[in-house]
Every structure is written in C-alpha cells, then in structure tokens.
Amino acid sequence: MLETLAPRVERVIGRLPRRVFVLTSPAIWALWGETFCASFREAPMALFLPAGEKYKNMASVERLAREMLRAGADRGSLLIAFGGGIVGDVGGFLAAVFMRGIPYVQVPTTFLAQVDSSVGGKTGVNLPEGKNMVGSFHQPRAVFADIGVLGTLPERELKAGLMESVKAGIIRDRALVRFMEENVHAIVGRDPKALEKVIAASIRMKAGVVTKDERDTGLRMILNLGHTVGHAIEQATRYKALLHGEAVGWGMVAALYLARKRGTISGAQFERLEKLIYLYGPLPVLKVRAAKVVAATGADKKNVGGVRRFVLPLGIGDAGVVEDVSPAELEAAVRYMLGKAVVSG
Amino acid sequence: MLETLAPRVERVIGRLPRRVFVLTSPAIWALWGETFCASFREAPMALFLPAGEKYKNMASVERLAREMLRAGADRGSLLIAFGGGIVGDVGGFLAAVFMRGIPYVQVPTTFLAQVDSSVGGKTGVNLPEGKNMVGSFHQPRAVFADIGVLGTLPERELKAGLMESVKAGIIRDRALVRFMEENVHAIVGRDPKALEKVIAASIRMKAGVVTKDERDTGLRMILNLGHTVGHAIEQATRYKALLHGEAVGWGMVAALYLARKRGTISGAQFERLEKLIYLYGPLPVLKVRAAKVVAATGADKKNVGGVRRFVLPLGIGDAGVVEDVSPAELEAAVRYMLGKAVVSG
C-alpha cells in the first residue's frame, strides 16, 4: 500500500498542497523512506523525531514547528505522521497547534499504532509529571495501515501491541477474545490473514466507540481498561522498563483482579482472561514498589475532582467505569499484579 | 464587577470546580488580586506569567501546565485568564492543551484585550520565527470586561488598544469611525460612557464576524486589517520597540496607502482615515529597513500556498481580502509608512 500512498491521500483530501511534510523516525525512514516517496510527484520534506518516549515532549513540538516554518509551511500544508505511536501522537499534536491547526494523515508502522493510537484523534506529549498531559483532540483526515511494514517490527513490540487487541476483545468483542485464544501461533507468527483479522477487529471496535464519544466525556473511557495502573507503572518506572502495551497488560491484570473482587466477572472469567494476557507474553518483570504505583495513579487524566476512575470488565465483551475504588482495594490489586510480575507472566 | 466575579462565573458554567486557577501577571495581581478573590469561597490558585512578549512562548506553557499538575489540576479544573492580551493568549492556549482541554474564562484588564484579543477564541504563543505560530481555537466560556480596571492602564497602552477600535470602525462600523473622530478627548480621558461605547461597539463588531467564521477560513480575515504589516514590523523590531496596537496602527497606514493606490478608497477617505489613526497617536518612530519589513510579511499565517494575503478597506465600514499584492506594491506602501514614521505620526 505504501508505494501508492500519494493517490490514496489525494482521494481523501483532494489535490496535495504545495508543501507536504512527513514526520518520521530515522530508523523507519532508512527502511521505508524510498517506498514512501515513490508515489509523490515531489518528495515530501522529512522531519525527524528520534526514537524514544523521552522525545515525546514540548521541546520536540517546538523544534518541529520551527523547522516547518523555516521550510515554508503554511496553513494549507499537510503533515503525514509515519511511524509508531510516539510519532503519531507528536505529529498529531504538531498538526493540531501549528498555526492553530493543519490537516494530517496517519501512516502507523507499529502494530500498536495501527490498532490503537492512530485511530481516534487523541494527540499529545508528556510532561515530567505524567504522560500525555498536554495535547489536543485533532482527527486525522485518514489512517493508512500497511501490514507489510510490520515484517520489520521486533517481536516484543508486536506482542506489546497485541495487548490493545486483547483489551479490545475484553471490553467489546467476545469473538475477538476467542480468536486470539485459538490463534496465538498464527498471530505472533505474523500470518497476514490472522493479523489482518485482529487489526480490523481492533480498529472497528475503537472507531465505533470513538465515533460515539469523540471528546472522551463518557463511553470512550472504557478504552482505558488497564491504562490507569498501566500509566502509573510507566510513570513509576520512568517510561524506561516497559513498552506501553506491556504496561497495559500488567494494568489489565490489576483491573481483572479488582473486577473479580467486586464480582463484575466470575472466577472462571478471571482465569480465562488473565491467561489470555499471558498467552501474548511474557510481560517484563516489574521492579517497583506497590505504594509508588498507587501514588502515581493519582495523577491520571481520567480523574476529575480527585475521584479515581477505573474501567472494569463486566463479563467478557463489556466494560464499565467505577469511581469508588478505595486506596486499599487498589493496593491489593497492585500487590496481586506485582506478585505475578516477580516471576514474570 | 470584579468583586462579584465568582457568582458571575457560576451563572455561566455552573458550580465552580474544586480547583480554580488564575493566570495573571505579578503587577496585575498586586493591584487587583484581593478584589479578584473577594467573591470566591476558596481563593483561586494564582499562576504567574511575567510581563512581556518574550514570555509568550512554549516554555511558559510547559512550566504553567507542570505547576497546575503539581497543584492537583484535573480535567474538571477551571482556568481564569486575568490580565492583558498576552495573559489571555497564553492562558487560552494552556486551557486548550492542558489534558487536551479544560474550560476557561477571560477577564481582560487592558483596553486592547477587552476590545479584541479576549473575544474570538484564538489562543497561542510565539516562535522565534513569528507571532502566534503555535496555538489553538478554544472559545472561553465567558469574557468579563471591567472598565474599572482600566484606570491604572498607562495612556500609551490605552491608545495602542484604541487602534483595534479604529480598525473595527474602518472595516465594519462607520458610526464608530465618526464617534472616535468626534470624541478623542473623552475617550483618551477615560470618560466611562465614551469608553463603554467604544468597547461595546468593538466587541459587537468582532463577535459578529467571529460567530460567522470561528475557524478563520473566510470572513474573519478582515479582522486582520493592518496586521500583516503590523506583525512584520513587530517581528522586524523583535517585539521590543512597539506595542501590538501601535504596530497595527502603522500597518493600517500601509494598508490605507495600498487601498488608495488600488482605488478601493478615495483620496479623501484615505486622508480622513489616516488622520483618525494619528488622532490616537503619536505612534512610535520606526527604525527599521523597508526590505526587512517586506521580507517578514512572507511568514504571515494568512498566507496559503505562498500567496501574500492583504486586507484592504473598501470605503469606510467595509473591507475585503486581496491576494495579488506584488512585492513592489507592498514595498511602496511600507516606504510610505516608514516616511511617516520617521517624524512620528
């Protein structure tokens, strides 16, 4: 698909503007830059974001906006975010605030970005105090996901991304849960048919939820299953030890424990779903204290007025939000999770 | 009005949230902080932005977002921007991007902010390459303009702000042009009735235009009369020599010259409107080369696809946009303006 990108983009936005920018990482560009440019009459101007969560910050957005200005970007310019979730989040935010907003297109290159972060228009960067604390809602004009580029994705990243598909199944799609239980080897082995099925189901689920709640004021919150504790883990380990999907995997374990204790899922459902998470493991061992993780959940964006909000599964294929999780209850769930995380999942 | 702010805000947004933040300047807060807080059950937490265009940048937004996070801000928090145009622009942008958007209220304290920048939802910060190059459209929930606080405003700032009212008259309101011609002493002398009339007419004009074109894709562009050259002057003098309104005043002189040359206004109209600008002067002397100003217009946000867009008056009380101004034509207008600006207006 990548080699025919320009006409595909034109089908969505009309004639390409004079200036097309592509935000990407040096590694992605080295692998795919030539293919990417093949269909453009004039090669887009490449802007680079080094790999790593530490560059997902305000300073990068400022530097990139300045580079665009110096290269003659204006309000009619188009930005294409070509890379993983970080490139997509930073690129989307850059497009949201550059001259108060220019159009952009997502071309995600990781499994995680294809099934999750490229869809939905959430953009943003991190602050030292927390992830995605500064950002915008800015919908891409289109998302083009090419399964072909996943061939170069490290297995660890593929598996981490699959945690978002596990999440998609748990909160909205029983059939996806079953498919992922029964096809582990095909999926992890990157069988194109199996991957396409998982990606399509994940995107369909997310697009359906986002369409109903673009600004994240209600239903969309269920997409955060595993993310409250997941973000806290990432923050407590300073974004260094785990990939985002891996942190979400552990976060889902904590959420499942809470749900079982509250009775929103049965013991059998708990075991089945926990096992599904580990099927796409192993998740990295966690070296962090429970109290630190609990404290870090206090800064979650989902909290309003000091109330800690949690997404819990309601059986398999449904989820809801609870607001009355006590610190003790949360700490028990985190301790359970950390117990599993010592020997690894 | 300031001493009854809290109930006024609650009438618009409902019950105040747990955390209310006020972004202000140290000088404004020293003068009016106590009055501001009088009507709040719990004093809002003050965040400070030092005076000056040089703090209108990404670094300030980042610092303020971090301070808010450390003080427990969440998605339900309210931000009040209490100060001049820079506080309003930075506060609005901070509210636009903090956790992807929180509500905010404008309480402008300068004449310029009251008649112009607080209305319309344009927020943003500067880059070294240009003014307001990074920002968002984010409408305040309400704008509260208290004429009482203008008593402490330096006369130079009042006069600079009045340039936006002159602009309002030229592009949309013949009656305002006449009123400002006939009541210079009452207006500059801060006669409350005269000021209120000018402020109300200016806000009415702007709100009317913005309501028809919130995202600035058409009609709203006429609000930029005098701003293309005005921004270029500010940039060429590194935002140090002139107040924004003063730069717009000079920019309008250049626009009037262009309009007369093109015949969209008559010689008599040209003289009348140029005189009106100087009535609210003197505008500061300009020490800058014409070529530098012309070059700086190239980076204007209104330009799309490399075309320089200019707003020109069409008679008195109407304006339009032209896209075919040649560099030579522009340079002649800038030279005319600089000729006037040597002896001062």
PDB file of all heavy atoms in Angstrom, chain A residues 165-166 168-183 187 197-198 201-202 204 272-273 276 280 316-318:
ATOM      1  N   SER A 165      -5.239  -5.235  21.492  1.00  0.00           N
ATOM      2  CA  SER A 165      -6.261  -6.065  20.862  1.00  0.00           C
ATOM      3  C   SER A 165      -6.928  -6.967  21.897  1.00  0.00           C
ATOM      4  O   SER A 165      -8.143  -7.199  21.840  1.00  0.00           O
ATOM      5  CB  SER A 165      -5.650  -6.910  19.740  1.00  0.00           C
ATOM      6  OG  SER A 165      -5.178  -6.067  18.710  1.00  0.00           O
ATOM      7  N   VAL A 166      -6.125  -7.472  22.845  1.00  0.00           N
ATOM      8  CA  VAL A 166      -6.703  -8.234  23.958  1.00  0.00           C
ATOM      9  C   VAL A 166      -7.719  -7.349  24.679  1.00  0.00           C
ATOM     10  O   VAL A 166      -8.846  -7.760  24.977  1.00  0.00           O
ATOM     11  CB  VAL A 166      -5.601  -8.695  24.939  1.00  0.00           C
ATOM     12  CG1 VAL A 166      -6.208  -9.213  26.244  1.00  0.00           C
ATOM     13  CG2 VAL A 166      -4.718  -9.754  24.288  1.00  0.00           C
ATOM     14  N   ALA A 168      -9.319  -4.778  23.442  1.00  0.00           N
ATOM     15  CA  ALA A 168     -10.481  -4.574  22.561  1.00  0.00           C
ATOM     16  C   ALA A 168     -11.469  -5.725  22.714  1.00  0.00           C
ATOM     17  O   ALA A 168     -12.685  -5.522  22.813  1.00  0.00           O
ATOM     18  CB  ALA A 168     -10.020  -4.452  21.107  1.00  0.00           C
ATOM     19  N   GLY A 169     -10.925  -6.942  22.759  1.00  0.00           N
ATOM     20  CA  GLY A 169     -11.793  -8.102  22.920  1.00  0.00           C
ATOM     21  C   GLY A 169     -12.502  -8.095  24.265  1.00  0.00           C
ATOM     22  O   GLY A 169     -13.720  -8.297  24.343  1.00  0.00           O
ATOM     23  N   ILE A 170     -11.738  -7.841  25.321  1.00  0.00           N
ATOM     24  CA  ILE A 170     -12.325  -7.905  26.667  1.00  0.00           C
ATOM     25  C   ILE A 170     -13.463  -6.904  26.831  1.00  0.00           C
ATOM     26  O   ILE A 170     -14.507  -7.223  27.386  1.00  0.00           O
ATOM     27  CB  ILE A 170     -11.241  -7.657  27.746  1.00  0.00           C
ATOM     28  CG1 ILE A 170     -10.215  -8.802  27.746  1.00  0.00           C
ATOM     29  CG2 ILE A 170     -11.875  -7.526  29.136  1.00  0.00           C
ATOM     30  CD1 ILE A 170      -9.052  -8.613  28.712  1.00  0.00           C
ATOM     31  N   ILE A 171     -13.272  -5.684  26.303  1.00  0.00           N
ATOM     32  CA  ILE A 171     -14.290  -4.661  26.579  1.00  0.00           C
ATOM     33  C   ILE A 171     -15.451  -4.662  25.595  1.00  0.00           C
ATOM     34  O   ILE A 171     -16.517  -4.130  25.896  1.00  0.00           O
ATOM     35  CB  ILE A 171     -13.678  -3.231  26.623  1.00  0.00           C
ATOM     36  CG1 ILE A 171     -13.082  -2.816  25.274  1.00  0.00           C
ATOM     37  CG2 ILE A 171     -12.635  -3.125  27.717  1.00  0.00           C
ATOM     38  CD1 ILE A 171     -12.544  -1.396  25.253  1.00  0.00           C
ATOM     39  N   ARG A 172     -15.270  -5.257  24.383  1.00  0.00           N
ATOM     40  CA  ARG A 172     -16.340  -5.107  23.384  1.00  0.00           C
ATOM     41  C   ARG A 172     -16.534  -6.267  22.414  1.00  0.00           C
ATOM     42  O   ARG A 172     -17.470  -6.247  21.620  1.00  0.00           O
ATOM     43  CB  ARG A 172     -16.070  -3.847  22.526  1.00  0.00           C
ATOM     44  CG  ARG A 172     -16.665  -2.545  23.060  1.00  0.00           C
ATOM     45  CD  ARG A 172     -18.188  -2.576  22.961  1.00  0.00           C
ATOM     46  NE  ARG A 172     -18.877  -1.395  23.425  1.00  0.00           N
ATOM     47  CZ  ARG A 172     -19.244  -1.165  24.684  1.00  0.00           C
ATOM     48  NH1 ARG A 172     -18.924  -2.028  25.647  1.00  0.00           N
ATOM     49  NH2 ARG A 172     -19.928  -0.082  24.997  1.00  0.00           N
ATOM     50  N   ASP A 173     -15.663  -7.296  22.433  1.00  0.00           N
ATOM     51  CA  ASP A 173     -15.712  -8.244  21.325  1.00  0.00           C
ATOM     52  C   ASP A 173     -15.339  -9.664  21.775  1.00  0.00           C
ATOM     53  O   ASP A 173     -14.190 -10.072  21.718  1.00  0.00           O
ATOM     54  CB  ASP A 173     -14.756  -7.738  20.217  1.00  0.00           C
ATOM     55  CG  ASP A 173     -14.915  -8.497  18.904  1.00  0.00           C
ATOM     56  OD1 ASP A 173     -15.484  -9.608  18.898  1.00  0.00           O
ATOM     57  OD2 ASP A 173     -14.460  -7.968  17.876  1.00  0.00           O
ATOM     58  N   ARG A 174     -16.357 -10.431  22.192  1.00  0.00           N
ATOM     59  CA  ARG A 174     -16.133 -11.811  22.651  1.00  0.00           C
ATOM     60  C   ARG A 174     -15.495 -12.659  21.564  1.00  0.00           C
ATOM     61  O   ARG A 174     -14.670 -13.537  21.852  1.00  0.00           O
ATOM     62  CB  ARG A 174     -17.467 -12.466  23.036  1.00  0.00           C
ATOM     63  CG  ARG A 174     -18.158 -11.891  24.243  1.00  0.00           C
ATOM     64  CD  ARG A 174     -19.537 -12.561  24.396  1.00  0.00           C
ATOM     65  NE  ARG A 174     -19.405 -13.966  24.767  1.00  0.00           N
ATOM     66  CZ  ARG A 174     -19.412 -14.402  26.021  1.00  0.00           C
ATOM     67  NH1 ARG A 174     -19.555 -13.551  27.018  1.00  0.00           N
ATOM     68  NH2 ARG A 174     -19.279 -15.674  26.287  1.00  0.00           N
ATOM     69  N   ALA A 175     -15.908 -12.428  20.311  1.00  0.00           N
ATOM     70  CA  ALA A 175     -15.380 -13.240  19.204  1.00  0.00           C
ATOM     71  C   ALA A 175     -13.878 -13.015  19.043  1.00  0.00           C
ATOM     72  O   ALA A 175     -13.123 -13.946  18.747  1.00  0.00           O
ATOM     73  CB  ALA A 175     -16.110 -12.904  17.903  1.00  0.00           C
ATOM     74  N   LEU A 176     -13.440 -11.776  19.250  1.00  0.00           N
ATOM     75  CA  LEU A 176     -12.011 -11.475  19.152  1.00  0.00           C
ATOM     76  C   LEU A 176     -11.245 -12.174  20.278  1.00  0.00           C
ATOM     77  O   LEU A 176     -10.143 -12.685  20.075  1.00  0.00           O
ATOM     78  CB  LEU A 176     -11.782  -9.953  19.186  1.00  0.00           C
ATOM     79  CG  LEU A 176     -10.334  -9.463  19.109  1.00  0.00           C
ATOM     80  CD1 LEU A 176      -9.636  -9.944  17.838  1.00  0.00           C
ATOM     81  CD2 LEU A 176     -10.256  -7.931  19.192  1.00  0.00           C
ATOM     82  N   VAL A 177     -11.824 -12.210  21.467  1.00  0.00           N
ATOM     83  CA  VAL A 177     -11.201 -12.932  22.585  1.00  0.00           C
ATOM     84  C   VAL A 177     -10.971 -14.388  22.184  1.00  0.00           C
ATOM     85  O   VAL A 177      -9.868 -14.928  22.318  1.00  0.00           O
ATOM     86  CB  VAL A 177     -12.077 -12.848  23.860  1.00  0.00           C
ATOM     87  CG1 VAL A 177     -11.593 -13.852  24.911  1.00  0.00           C
ATOM     88  CG2 VAL A 177     -12.059 -11.424  24.423  1.00  0.00           C
ATOM     89  N   ARG A 178     -12.010 -14.998  21.640  1.00  0.00           N
ATOM     90  CA  ARG A 178     -11.892 -16.411  21.262  1.00  0.00           C
ATOM     91  C   ARG A 178     -10.855 -16.589  20.146  1.00  0.00           C
ATOM     92  O   ARG A 178     -10.017 -17.493  20.218  1.00  0.00           O
ATOM     93  CB  ARG A 178     -13.270 -16.951  20.830  1.00  0.00           C
ATOM     94  CG  ARG A 178     -13.256 -18.448  20.481  1.00  0.00           C
ATOM     95  CD  ARG A 178     -14.661 -19.024  20.378  1.00  0.00           C
ATOM     96  NE  ARG A 178     -15.382 -18.896  21.637  1.00  0.00           N
ATOM     97  CZ  ARG A 178     -15.370 -19.820  22.602  1.00  0.00           C
ATOM     98  NH1 ARG A 178     -14.670 -20.942  22.468  1.00  0.00           N
ATOM     99  NH2 ARG A 178     -16.048 -19.636  23.710  1.00  0.00           N
ATOM    100  N   PHE A 179     -10.912 -15.719  19.140  1.00  0.00           N
ATOM    101  CA  PHE A 179      -9.974 -15.834  18.023  1.00  0.00           C
ATOM    102  C   PHE A 179      -8.533 -15.716  18.519  1.00  0.00           C
ATOM    103  O   PHE A 179      -7.641 -16.462  18.096  1.00  0.00           O
ATOM    104  CB  PHE A 179     -10.255 -14.756  16.960  1.00  0.00           C
ATOM    105  CG  PHE A 179      -9.391 -14.868  15.740  1.00  0.00           C
ATOM    106  CD1 PHE A 179      -9.702 -15.773  14.730  1.00  0.00           C
ATOM    107  CD2 PHE A 179      -8.244 -14.090  15.605  1.00  0.00           C
ATOM    108  CE1 PHE A 179      -8.889 -15.895  13.606  1.00  0.00           C
ATOM    109  CE2 PHE A 179      -7.421 -14.214  14.480  1.00  0.00           C
ATOM    110  CZ  PHE A 179      -7.751 -15.116  13.481  1.00  0.00           C
ATOM    111  N   MET A 180      -8.304 -14.794  19.447  1.00  0.00           N
ATOM    112  CA  MET A 180      -6.941 -14.612  19.957  1.00  0.00           C
ATOM    113  C   MET A 180      -6.512 -15.767  20.853  1.00  0.00           C
ATOM    114  O   MET A 180      -5.325 -16.087  20.938  1.00  0.00           O
ATOM    115  CB  MET A 180      -6.812 -13.268  20.682  1.00  0.00           C
ATOM    116  CG  MET A 180      -6.924 -12.071  19.729  1.00  0.00           C
ATOM    117  SD  MET A 180      -6.544 -10.482  20.507  1.00  0.00           S
ATOM    118  CE  MET A 180      -4.732 -10.598  20.649  1.00  0.00           C
ATOM    119  N   GLU A 181      -7.479 -16.409  21.522  1.00  0.00           N
ATOM    120  CA  GLU A 181      -7.143 -17.602  22.314  1.00  0.00           C
ATOM    121  C   GLU A 181      -6.723 -18.760  21.413  1.00  0.00           C
ATOM    122  O   GLU A 181      -5.808 -19.514  21.728  1.00  0.00           O
ATOM    123  CB  GLU A 181      -8.367 -18.030  23.147  1.00  0.00           C
ATOM    124  CG  GLU A 181      -8.632 -17.142  24.352  1.00  0.00           C
ATOM    125  CD  GLU A 181      -9.953 -17.476  25.050  1.00  0.00           C
ATOM    126  OE1 GLU A 181     -10.868 -18.021  24.389  1.00  0.00           O
ATOM    127  OE2 GLU A 181     -10.068 -17.180  26.251  1.00  0.00           O
ATOM    128  N   GLU A 182      -7.393 -18.858  20.268  1.00  0.00           N
ATOM    129  CA  GLU A 182      -7.227 -20.054  19.429  1.00  0.00           C
ATOM    130  C   GLU A 182      -6.149 -19.910  18.361  1.00  0.00           C
ATOM    131  O   GLU A 182      -5.830 -20.882  17.685  1.00  0.00           O
ATOM    132  CB  GLU A 182      -8.575 -20.402  18.761  1.00  0.00           C
ATOM    133  CG  GLU A 182      -9.600 -20.891  19.784  1.00  0.00           C
ATOM    134  CD  GLU A 182     -11.003 -21.055  19.180  1.00  0.00           C
ATOM    135  OE1 GLU A 182     -11.191 -20.659  18.003  1.00  0.00           O
ATOM    136  OE2 GLU A 182     -11.879 -21.553  19.904  1.00  0.00           O
ATOM    137  N   ASN A 183      -5.630 -18.681  18.162  1.00  0.00           N
ATOM    138  CA  ASN A 183      -4.711 -18.478  17.032  1.00  0.00           C
ATOM    139  C   ASN A 183      -3.408 -17.784  17.437  1.00  0.00           C
ATOM    140  O   ASN A 183      -2.860 -16.990  16.667  1.00  0.00           O
ATOM    141  CB  ASN A 183      -5.418 -17.673  15.937  1.00  0.00           C
ATOM    142  CG  ASN A 183      -6.590 -18.437  15.336  1.00  0.00           C
ATOM    143  OD1 ASN A 183      -6.419 -19.263  14.452  1.00  0.00           O
ATOM    144  ND2 ASN A 183      -7.775 -18.200  15.869  1.00  0.00           N
ATOM    145  N   ILE A 187      -0.980 -15.609  14.861  1.00  0.00           N
ATOM    146  CA  ILE A 187      -0.918 -14.155  15.084  1.00  0.00           C
ATOM    147  C   ILE A 187       0.516 -13.714  15.368  1.00  0.00           C
ATOM    148  O   ILE A 187       1.042 -12.800  14.721  1.00  0.00           O
ATOM    149  CB  ILE A 187      -1.870 -13.740  16.231  1.00  0.00           C
ATOM    150  CG1 ILE A 187      -3.337 -13.974  15.810  1.00  0.00           C
ATOM    151  CG2 ILE A 187      -1.648 -12.277  16.610  1.00  0.00           C
ATOM    152  CD1 ILE A 187      -4.341 -13.868  16.946  1.00  0.00           C
ATOM    153  N   LYS A 197      -7.160  -9.892  10.506  1.00  0.00           N
ATOM    154  CA  LYS A 197      -8.405 -10.078  11.252  1.00  0.00           C
ATOM    155  C   LYS A 197      -8.342  -9.369  12.605  1.00  0.00           C
ATOM    156  O   LYS A 197      -9.279  -8.677  13.007  1.00  0.00           O
ATOM    157  CB  LYS A 197      -8.654 -11.582  11.439  1.00  0.00           C
ATOM    158  CG  LYS A 197     -10.082 -11.906  11.866  1.00  0.00           C
ATOM    159  CD  LYS A 197     -10.339 -13.401  11.856  1.00  0.00           C
ATOM    160  CE  LYS A 197     -11.507 -13.708  12.768  1.00  0.00           C
ATOM    161  NZ  LYS A 197     -12.776 -13.870  12.040  1.00  0.00           N
ATOM    162  N   VAL A 198      -7.196  -9.517  13.284  1.00  0.00           N
ATOM    163  CA  VAL A 198      -7.050  -8.891  14.603  1.00  0.00           C
ATOM    164  C   VAL A 198      -7.030  -7.357  14.470  1.00  0.00           C
ATOM    165  O   VAL A 198      -7.691  -6.642  15.235  1.00  0.00           O
ATOM    166  CB  VAL A 198      -5.759  -9.378  15.298  1.00  0.00           C
ATOM    167  CG1 VAL A 198      -5.472  -8.569  16.554  1.00  0.00           C
ATOM    168  CG2 VAL A 198      -5.877 -10.863  15.633  1.00  0.00           C
ATOM    169  N   ALA A 201     -10.545  -6.008  13.511  1.00  0.00           N
ATOM    170  CA  ALA A 201     -11.492  -6.064  14.632  1.00  0.00           C
ATOM    171  C   ALA A 201     -11.165  -4.990  15.670  1.00  0.00           C
ATOM    172  O   ALA A 201     -12.062  -4.341  16.230  1.00  0.00           O
ATOM    173  CB  ALA A 201     -11.463  -7.456  15.282  1.00  0.00           C
ATOM    174  N   SER A 202      -9.872  -4.773  15.914  1.00  0.00           N
ATOM    175  CA  SER A 202      -9.459  -3.782  16.913  1.00  0.00           C
ATOM    176  C   SER A 202      -9.841  -2.370  16.474  1.00  0.00           C
ATOM    177  O   SER A 202     -10.368  -1.571  17.254  1.00  0.00           O
ATOM    178  CB  SER A 202      -7.942  -3.852  17.134  1.00  0.00           C
ATOM    179  OG  SER A 202      -7.556  -5.166  17.490  1.00  0.00           O
ATOM    180  N   ARG A 204     -12.134  -1.540  14.248  1.00  0.00           N
ATOM    181  CA  ARG A 204     -13.594  -1.443  14.196  1.00  0.00           C
ATOM    182  C   ARG A 204     -14.142  -1.128  15.596  1.00  0.00           C
ATOM    183  O   ARG A 204     -14.987  -0.253  15.771  1.00  0.00           O
ATOM    184  CB  ARG A 204     -14.177  -2.756  13.679  1.00  0.00           C
ATOM    185  CG  ARG A 204     -15.570  -2.621  13.085  1.00  0.00           C
ATOM    186  CD  ARG A 204     -16.078  -3.961  12.555  1.00  0.00           C
ATOM    187  NE  ARG A 204     -15.174  -4.576  11.594  1.00  0.00           N
ATOM    188  CZ  ARG A 204     -14.625  -5.803  11.721  1.00  0.00           C
ATOM    189  NH1 ARG A 204     -14.901  -6.563  12.778  1.00  0.00           N
ATOM    190  NH2 ARG A 204     -13.831  -6.269  10.800  1.00  0.00           N
ATOM    191  N   ARG A 272      -9.647 -17.116  32.703  1.00  0.00           N
ATOM    192  CA  ARG A 272      -9.573 -17.181  31.242  1.00  0.00           C
ATOM    193  C   ARG A 272      -8.904 -15.921  30.672  1.00  0.00           C
ATOM    194  O   ARG A 272      -8.020 -16.004  29.814  1.00  0.00           O
ATOM    195  CB  ARG A 272     -10.989 -17.334  30.685  1.00  0.00           C
ATOM    196  CG  ARG A 272     -11.036 -17.442  29.185  1.00  0.00           C
ATOM    197  CD  ARG A 272     -12.453 -17.652  28.664  1.00  0.00           C
ATOM    198  NE  ARG A 272     -12.474 -17.371  27.230  1.00  0.00           N
ATOM    199  CZ  ARG A 272     -13.587 -17.207  26.524  1.00  0.00           C
ATOM    200  NH1 ARG A 272     -14.782 -17.298  27.114  1.00  0.00           N
ATOM    201  NH2 ARG A 272     -13.511 -16.956  25.236  1.00  0.00           N
ATOM    202  N   LEU A 273      -9.301 -14.760  31.188  1.00  0.00           N
ATOM    203  CA  LEU A 273      -8.775 -13.502  30.641  1.00  0.00           C
ATOM    204  C   LEU A 273      -7.328 -13.264  31.067  1.00  0.00           C
ATOM    205  O   LEU A 273      -6.500 -12.763  30.296  1.00  0.00           O
ATOM    206  CB  LEU A 273      -9.670 -12.324  31.060  1.00  0.00           C
ATOM    207  CG  LEU A 273     -11.096 -12.368  30.484  1.00  0.00           C
ATOM    208  CD1 LEU A 273     -11.934 -11.204  31.032  1.00  0.00           C
ATOM    209  CD2 LEU A 273     -11.084 -12.346  28.952  1.00  0.00           C
ATOM    210  N   LEU A 276      -5.240 -15.305  28.861  1.00  0.00           N
ATOM    211  CA  LEU A 276      -5.138 -14.707  27.519  1.00  0.00           C
ATOM    212  C   LEU A 276      -4.026 -13.648  27.480  1.00  0.00           C
ATOM    213  O   LEU A 276      -3.239 -13.579  26.531  1.00  0.00           O
ATOM    214  CB  LEU A 276      -6.483 -14.082  27.129  1.00  0.00           C
ATOM    215  CG  LEU A 276      -6.514 -13.276  25.815  1.00  0.00           C
ATOM    216  CD1 LEU A 276      -6.159 -14.158  24.616  1.00  0.00           C
ATOM    217  CD2 LEU A 276      -7.895 -12.644  25.599  1.00  0.00           C
ATOM    218  N   TYR A 280       0.115 -13.833  25.283  1.00  0.00           N
ATOM    219  CA  TYR A 280       0.851 -12.902  24.428  1.00  0.00           C
ATOM    220  C   TYR A 280       2.031 -12.268  25.177  1.00  0.00           C
ATOM    221  O   TYR A 280       2.502 -11.205  24.835  1.00  0.00           O
ATOM    222  CB  TYR A 280      -0.102 -11.862  23.817  1.00  0.00           C
ATOM    223  CG  TYR A 280      -1.031 -12.515  22.814  1.00  0.00           C
ATOM    224  CD1 TYR A 280      -2.255 -13.036  23.216  1.00  0.00           C
ATOM    225  CD2 TYR A 280      -0.619 -12.680  21.503  1.00  0.00           C
ATOM    226  CE1 TYR A 280      -3.084 -13.692  22.298  1.00  0.00           C
ATOM    227  CE2 TYR A 280      -1.434 -13.326  20.585  1.00  0.00           C
ATOM    228  CZ  TYR A 280      -2.665 -13.836  20.985  1.00  0.00           C
ATOM    229  OH  TYR A 280      -3.455 -14.493  20.083  1.00  0.00           O
ATOM    230  N   ILE A 316     -17.298 -10.856  29.724  1.00  0.00           N
ATOM    231  CA  ILE A 316     -16.353 -10.791  28.599  1.00  0.00           C
ATOM    232  C   ILE A 316     -17.050 -10.127  27.424  1.00  0.00           C
ATOM    233  O   ILE A 316     -18.075 -10.595  26.960  1.00  0.00           O
ATOM    234  CB  ILE A 316     -15.862 -12.205  28.207  1.00  0.00           C
ATOM    235  CG1 ILE A 316     -15.080 -12.794  29.392  1.00  0.00           C
ATOM    236  CG2 ILE A 316     -14.994 -12.159  26.950  1.00  0.00           C
ATOM    237  CD1 ILE A 316     -14.615 -14.222  29.182  1.00  0.00           C
ATOM    238  N   GLY A 317     -16.506  -8.988  26.976  1.00  0.00           N
ATOM    239  CA  GLY A 317     -17.116  -8.260  25.856  1.00  0.00           C
ATOM    240  C   GLY A 317     -17.874  -7.028  26.299  1.00  0.00           C
ATOM    241  O   GLY A 317     -18.526  -6.375  25.500  1.00  0.00           O
ATOM    242  N   ASP A 318     -17.756  -6.675  27.569  1.00  0.00           N
ATOM    243  CA  ASP A 318     -18.388  -5.441  28.045  1.00  0.00           C
ATOM    244  C   ASP A 318     -17.539  -4.868  29.184  1.00  0.00           C
ATOM    245  O   ASP A 318     -16.743  -5.577  29.795  1.00  0.00           O
ATOM    246  CB  ASP A 318     -19.816  -5.720  28.534  1.00  0.00           C
ATOM    247  CG  ASP A 318     -20.642  -4.423  28.674  1.00  0.00           C
ATOM    248  OD1 ASP A 318     -20.164  -3.355  28.220  1.00  0.00           O
ATOM    249  OD2 ASP A 318     -21.740  -4.486  29.229  1.00  0.00           O
TER     250      ASP A 318
END
